[in-house]
Amino acid sequence: MIDIKNIHVDIGEKSILKGVDLSLEKGKVHVLMGTNGSGKSTLTKAIVGHYDTTVTKGEIFYNNKNIVELSPEQRALEGIFLSFQNPIEIAGVNNAYFLRTALNAKERFDGKKETNAASFLRLMKKHVSQLGMHQDMLIRSLNDGFSGGEKKRNEILQMEVLQPDLILLDEIDSGLDIDALKAVADGINRMRDGERTFLIITHYRRILDYVTPDYVHILQDGQIVKSGGFELVDILESQGYQAIQKDI
Amino acid sequence: MDTLALIDTTHPLYSNFDALGVPNTKTEQYKNFPIKPILAREYSYNTESNLTPNAGTNLVMHNGMLLEYPEEIDIKFNEEFHTDKEHFDSLYFMSHMLSTTVITLKVHKDCSFEIQHTLCEQDSLTAYRIALEVDENIHVEVFESFQTDKSSQAFTLYGLDVHVSNNSTLRWIRNENRADKETEVVGSHKFNVAKQATLVLHSFDFGSASSLHLYKIDLAQYASCNASHLLLSDKDARRGNVVHINHNEAHAKSTQEARSILKDNATGIFDAKILVAHDAKYASASQNSKAILLDEHAHMYAKPQLEIYTDELEASHGSTIGTLDEDALFYLLSRGISMQESRKMLVSAFANTLIDNIPNQEYATKIHKEFENSL
C-alpha cells in the first residue's frame, strides 16, 4: 500500500524526519506512537504534501507510485486521507457544500457519475446519524464554532463520505469524551474492511481498546526505532519510551 | 471642454467648491483615485433631460435622464433640496453645480423600489443628483444597480442627498457590477439620519471598472448607521469608498465593515472616518476592514480612522490585509478539491458574510450570482 523509504523532511530550517523507513501493509491498522516532537505529525504531513514540509531525501511509494511530487489534491484524489489533529475552522464555507464538492471531485477523478443533491442528502443523514452528530452541523460553516468532539466527528464524517484507501488519523482521540471516542472508533471500524489501510497516531492506548491494531511503530527523533505488535503499547504504558530499544 | 471649464463661477455653491479646491493626488480622499486626468479630459456635456417620464415600479436613469419612476412615490424635478455646505468633498459641490437633473423623491409609506442607472455614453460627462426624503416612522428599501453598455471615455458624476426622518429605517443597497474600461463613476453623497432613525448601507463593487463613492453621513440622537462594503476588483480597476460618519448627538451608534478582494493590478480603497463630536456622548462606533490580495500587484489602501472628542463612548477599529489563509486552503486541497475551486470557496466564504446580511433573498441571490461570476 505505502512504502516510505529513507525519507528526510524539513520544516523551515529544521530537520524533523531523518531517514524514516516504514511500510504500511494493505488492509491493516497501523499505530504510530512517539514522544512529543518526535515527528509523527510531520510524517503524515509529508505523506499528504503539506506546504510546511520539504522532502529533502527519500521516496514515498503509494500503490507503487512515488507521490513526493504530487500536489495535495492529487494525493487526496488517489485515495489518501488525513484527519487533522486540529481541524481548521472555515467560516462561510457550508459543511455540506464542502463535502459534496469533495465527493464530486473524487467521483469525477474515479470516472463515476456525480452524486446528485438528493442522494447526497440521504447519504449525509445516514452518516451524521451513525456518528451521533446533530443534523444542523451540515448547514453550519465548516468546523466553525464546533467543539473539539464535533470537529473530530466531522473528520470521521468526511472519511466515511470520501471512502479513501489510506487513512491517516493524527491524534483523532485527543480531547474526546467517552461517547465521542466510541463514535469515532465505531466510524473507523465501519471503514475497516480488510482493504483500507489505517495509520493511527496516538499518545494513549484508550482508542486501541476500541480499534485493535495489527502493527505498532515507534518514532523517536525522526526515525522509526521499533515495530511490533500490541505488546509495544503495553511496554510503553508501563515503562515509557525509555524501555524501547532501537531495532538495528 | 474639460469638466472644470463647465463650472459656473457665479453659482451659489461655487464658493464652497472653491474653498475645498480642485481635488488632486494630494487630496486625501483622492490619493489613490486618479481624479485629475478624469477632470482634465475633453467631454461633450450631456444636458439632455426628460420631464415626462413614465410611471412604473422603479426609478430608471438612462445617461442621467429619467425614463421611469415608481408611481407610489412623490417625485419632483429640480426642486430645492437641502445641500450640505459642510461636505468634505469638493466634487459634492461640483456635481450639484453641474447637474442638469435633480430628482427629488418623497416617500410617505413603507416601500421597496429599485434605482437603475444605465450608462452608455462615449466621451461625455453626465451629471445628475437624486434627493430622497423618507418620512417619519416608515421603512424603505432601495436597491441601486448600474449597467454600462458600449460606454467609453465617459465620466458620470452623480450623487444622493438623503434625509431619513425620525424613527424611520432606510436600507440602501448599492450594487455596482461594472467591467467597462475608461468609464469612471464618482458618487458624492450625503445621508442625514434623524433622531432614532436607522440607515443600513450595503455597497457591492464588483468588476474592473473604476469608481469612487464618497459618503458623508450625519447621525442625530439615538440614530444609527450600519454600513458594509464588499469590493471585488480586478485588472487595473481603482474602486472603493470614502465614508465619513459623524456622531453629532448623544447615543448614536455606527458600525462599518469592509471586505475587499483584489486581483491583478487592482487597487481597493477604504478610507473611513468616524467622528464623535464633543456632545455626542454614549456613542458606540466600530470600524473594521479586511482585505485579501490575490495577486502580487494588487493593492489595498485601507485607512480606518476614529476622531473622538468625548470620553464617554465605546469605540474600536482595525484593519488587516493579507492573502488567503494557507491552512484553510490546504484543508480543502487535502480533500481533493482543486486549487481553483478551493480558492474560489475561500474567497466566497470571505464575502458571503456581507452578502448574507441582505434580508431580501431576491437581492441576496442576485448579488451572490454576480459575485461568483466576477471571481
Side-chain angles (χ1 to χ4, degrees), chain B residues 100-339:
Chain B
T100 50
T101 304
V102 177
I103 299 153
T104 305
L105 309 169
K106 293 190 177 177
V107 186
H108 305 296
K109 60 180 182 183
D110 291 1
C111 67
S112 174
F113 66 93
E114 295 186 16
I115 299 178
Q116 298 164 357
H117 304 264
T118 304
L119 316 170
C120 54
E121 288 282 13
Q122 295 186 3
D123 308 309
S124 69
L125 165 69
T126 304
Y128 59 98
R129 294 196 67 86
I130 298 169
L132 172 69
E133 189 173 334
V134 176
D135 215 346
E136 291 189 359
N137 301 307
I138 60 171
H139 302 283
V140 176
E141 178 183 65
V142 179
F143 183 84
E144 188 185 22
S145 63
F146 294 76
Q147 194 183 353
T148 44
D149 183 25
K150 294 175 187 166
S151 173
S152 68
Q153 297 279 329
F155 176 36
T156 297
L157 178 60
Y158 93 111
L160 308 164
D161 285 286
V162 178
H163 179 77
V164 189
S165 300
N166 294 350
N167 303 306
S168 283
T169 300
L170 172 65
R171 183 179 297 276
W172 192 284
I173 305 160
R174 179 172 60 78
N175 179 33
E176 191 169 340
N177 180 11
R178 297 191 304 116
D180 47 292
K181 267 186 169 181
E182 298 169 351
T183 299
E184 291 89 4
V185 170
V186 172
S188 196
H189 316 296
K190 165 64 196 284
F191 285 77
N192 192 51
V193 189
K195 195 175 173 183
Q196 292 186 316
T198 298
L199 169 68
V200 184
L201 176 66
H202 307 260
S203 74
F204 299 96
D205 287 282
F206 306 150
S208 53
S210 288
S211 76
L212 188 69
H213 288 264
L214 305 101
Y215 297 88
K216 180 170 181 265
I217 299 169
D218 283 321
L219 303 179
Q221 197 177 21
Y222 287 102
S224 68
C225 170
N226 303 318
S228 65
H229 312 280
L230 178 61
L231 177 67
L232 169 63
S233 275
D234 60 356
K235 297 182 182 165
D236 296 316
R238 284 169 184 260
R239 297 286 288 260
N241 294 283
V242 178
V243 188
H244 289 194
I245 300 177
N246 300 319
H247 290 237
N248 298 324
E249 295 175 13
H251 298 283
K253 189 176 177 181
S254 65
T255 60
Q256 258 190 303
E257 173 89 20
R259 295 198 172 201
S260 308
I261 303 135
L262 286 314
K263 298 199 284 189
D264 305 326
N265 298 312
T267 296
I269 301 163
F270 176 66
D271 181 347
K273 182 163 83 174
I274 295 180
L275 185 146
V276 183
H278 176 70
D279 294 332
K281 291 178 178 170
Y282 317 115
S284 171
S286 68
Q287 283 176 316
N288 191 14
S289 167
K290 292 179 182 170
I292 291 177
L293 306 181
L294 294 178
D295 289 296
E296 193 184 343
H297 297 294
H299 180 77
M300 181 68 202
Y301 176 75
K303 194 178 177 191
Q305 309 152 79
L306 294 171
E307 194 173 317
I308 294 166
Y309 296 97
T310 184
D311 292 333
E312 295 162 81
L313 83 164
E314 286 176 22
S316 65
H317 69 159
S319 176
T320 58
I321 300 173
T323 53
L324 286 175
D325 184 316
E326 278 190 304
D327 286 329
L329 186 61
F330 182 78
Y331 192 86
L332 302 181
L333 294 172
S334 77
R335 299 304 183 241
I337 300 170
S338 70
M339 177 64 85

Side-chain angles (χ1 to χ4, degrees), chain A residues 195-211:
Chain A
E195 292 293 319
R196 292 194 175 84
T197 307
F198 293 81
L199 180 65
I200 300 174
I201 292 177
T202 185
H203 282 292
Y204 309 104
R205 66 172 290 156
R206 64 177 197 153
I207 191 168
L208 306 178
D209 291 337
Y210 301 100
V211 182

